[in-house]
Amino acid sequence: MAKYLLLKHYRGAPAPANDAPMDQWTPEEISAHVQYMDDLAARLVETGEYVESQALAPEGTFVRFDGEGRPPVTDGPFAETKDLIAGWMVIDVDTYERALEVAAELSAAPGAGGKPIHEWLELRPFLGCHPTITE
């Protein structure tokens, strides 16, 4: 089995088909989106392929070591992960093809109007897990 990260983006990926920003969704649309992802995670638990998933809050900051007891904190002007990463799912699957299938299913989560988002997800193997691409 190989572990993969399915990375959801706020921006930085090509625009999805259903491109209404989440802050413009109704509470019901947000609930349906979250429920879809919870249901997918539950199915992956049953198959033994689920590792974890998290949604991220938009808040965040950069911190770096700048000498003992002095971590500088900054909020820009560079692109930060809080602007880019919405959340992730980690899966542990037998093949690269199965990872693609799970990513495609996650991409179909509903958005505005209850229609699938068809969002682009970044699929990355964990270091040390070298997928065999058969195409």
Side-chain angles (χ1 to χ4, degrees), residues 61-81:
T61 191
F62 267 91
V63 178
R64 72 167 192 188
F65 179 77
D66 194 32
E68 195 62 39
R70 300 179 7 202
V73 176
T74 183
D75 194 30
F78 37 83
E80 299 186 34
T81 56

Side-chain angles (χ1 to χ4, degrees), residues 4-29:
Y4 290 87
L5 172 69
L6 284 65
L7 194 57
K8 296 173 69 66
H9 292 267
Y10 282 120
R11 62 187 176 118
N18 186 353
D19 197 23
M22 192 177 232
D23 62 1
Q24 295 176 11
W25 296 1
T26 66
E28 295 79 17
E29 291 167 341

Side-chain angles (χ1 to χ4, degrees), residues 2 5 39 59 63 68 70 77 85 113-114 123 126 129:
L5 172 69
D39 292 346
E59 299 83 25
V63 178
E68 195 62 39
R70 300 179 7 202
I85 302 170
L123 176 66
F126 278 31
C129 302

Side-chain angles (χ1 to χ4, degrees), residues 95-133:
T95 65
Y96 174 74
E97 288 75 16
R98 177 62 181 146
L100 291 173
E101 290 172 4
V102 173
E105 189 171 352
L106 184 59
S107 170
K115 296 180 181 172
I117 297 172
H118 299 287
E119 70 180 321
W120 289 92
L121 299 170
E122 186 175 344
L123 176 66
R124 297 185 60 183
F126 278 31
L127 187 62
C129 302
H130 304 286
T132 301
I133 300 174

Side-chain angles (χ1 to χ4, degrees), residues 6-55:
L6 284 65
L7 194 57
K8 296 173 69 66
H9 292 267
Y10 282 120
R11 62 187 176 118
N18 186 353
D19 197 23
M22 192 177 232
D23 62 1
Q24 295 176 11
W25 296 1
T26 66
E28 295 79 17
E29 291 167 341
I30 293 170
S31 293
H33 181 80
V34 171
Q35 187 63 55
Y36 179 96
M37 291 187 293
D38 288 346
D39 292 346
L40 174 59
R43 287 193 306 278
L44 294 172
V45 165
E46 289 176 12
T47 63
E49 297 172 311
Y50 178 82
V51 176
E52 75 162 315
S53 59
Q54 292 292 323

